[in-house]
């Protein structure tokens, strides 16, 4: 079954229902979200996860979201898992954790933006993710943090500037792009600052921890 969410409005969730997330998607597919702003929620702004209805976990798939924003939430802006997702013009800013936690393989991000989040801009922990024209700036950790073992990651035409403002992290973890012991990473047409703004921001443009 397909679901369309298009309230074109500001929504909040300061209580603990659904984990405090504004939208919690569990084990369903074909959810379309357009023109929604989740702000100051007690958990994540948007949280997608699998669910066991009694016969094994069902993964959420085939999401198509556009022009969706998550601002000032107590968790991450977007915590996304599943597969075959298509996200366009998502914005995550001033969230307490990462702007985006990406555990959804076979997923494309186009024109997305992560800024002023208290952890990483994008935390990528899965295979086969493409980001085109995505921005990450002024985040406390790395702009793009690619975990160990992730592969098939493509960053094309993206920008990473002034990240790594948390000086309690290692220099590598405060980079524009942090790459764990990953492989098959494609980076092209990218603008990345390298310690341009002084020691209080990202020390490496790209840091390969392999």
């Amino acid at each position: 079954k397909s679901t369309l969410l298009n309230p074109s409005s500001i929504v909040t969730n300061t209580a603990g229902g659904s984990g405090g997330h504004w939208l919690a998607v569990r084990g369903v597919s074909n959810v379309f979200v357009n023109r929604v702003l989740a702000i100051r929620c007690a958990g994540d702004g948007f949280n997608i996860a699998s669910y066991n209805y009694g016969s094994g976990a069902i993964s959420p798939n085939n999401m198509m979201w556009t022009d969706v924003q998550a601002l000032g939430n107590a968790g991450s802006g977007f915590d996304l898992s599943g597969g075959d997702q298509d996200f366009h013009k998502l914005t995550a800013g001033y969230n307490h954790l990462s702007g985006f936690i990406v555990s959804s393989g076979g997923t494309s991000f186009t024109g997305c933006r992560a800024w002023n989040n208290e952890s990483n801009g994008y935390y990528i922990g899965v295979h086969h993710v493409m980001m085109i024209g995505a921005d990450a700036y002024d985040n406390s950790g790395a702009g793009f943090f690619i975990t160990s073992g992730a592969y098939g990651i493509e960053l094309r035409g993206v920008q990473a500037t002034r990240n790594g403002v948390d000086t309690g992290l290692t220099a590598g973890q405060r980079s524009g792009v942090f790459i764990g012991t990953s492989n098959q990473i494609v980076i092209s047409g990218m603008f990345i600052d390298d310690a341009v703004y002084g020691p209080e921001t990202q020390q490496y443009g790209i840091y390969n921890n392999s």
Side-chain angles (χ1 to χ4, degrees):
K1 182 178 180 180
S2 299
T3 302
L4 172 64
L5 296 178
N6 185 14
S8 303
S9 63
I10 296 174
V11 292
T12 62
N13 180 1
T14 57
S18 300
H21 316 311
W22 179 72
L23 177 64
V25 177
R26 297 290 181 263
V28 297
S29 299
N30 303 316
V31 177
F32 304 89
V33 183
N34 176 251
R35 298 182 63 196
V36 176
L37 166 59
I39 186 170
R40 295 189 297 275
C41 294
D44 303 325
F46 301 89
N47 185 286
I48 301 177
S50 61
Y51 188 80
N52 190 339
Y53 289 96
S55 58
I58 297 177
S59 176
N61 296 293
N62 301 316
M63 306 293 166
M64 183 175 292
W65 297 10
T66 184
D67 198 11
V68 181
Q69 300 183 59
L71 304 177
N73 299 289
S76 294
F78 298 85
D79 191 338
L80 310 170
S81 65
D84 303 323
Q85 325 287 18
D86 186 2
F87 300 118
H88 178 61
K89 292 179 64 177
L90 307 188
T91 300
Y94 293 110
N95 297 289
H96 183 65
L97 298 178
S98 294
F100 297 83
I101 296 179
V102 183
S103 302
S104 49
T107 297
S108 65
F109 292 81
T110 306
C112 296
R113 182 166 294 166
W115 45 272
N116 282 101
N117 298 289
E118 294 185 32
S119 186
N120 302 293
Y122 303 83
Y123 183 92
I124 305 171
V126 74
H127 314 319
H128 305 305
V129 173
M130 176 180 289
M131 294 195 172
I132 303 173
D135 291 346
Y137 55 92
D138 295 325
N139 298 288
S140 293
F144 298 84
F145 190 103
I146 303 173
T147 63
S148 297
Y151 61 83
I153 311 299
E154 297 187 39
L155 306 178
R156 298 185 182 275
V158 302
Q159 297 190 55
T161 58
R162 301 189 308 273
N163 297 290
V165 298
D166 183 355
T167 55
L169 299 174
T170 65
Q173 293 169 335
R174 297 168 55 209
S175 55
V177 179
F178 176 91
I179 302 174
T181 56
S182 309
N183 54 34
Q184 297 180 358
I185 309 297
V186 176
I187 301 175
S188 64
M190 192 169 194
F191 177 82
I192 309 174
D193 280 342
D194 183 1
V196 173
Y197 298 96
E200 70 279 1
T201 55
Q202 62 191 46
Q203 297 301 290
Y204 295 95
I206 301 175
Y207 184 88
N208 190 336
N209 197 46
S210 298

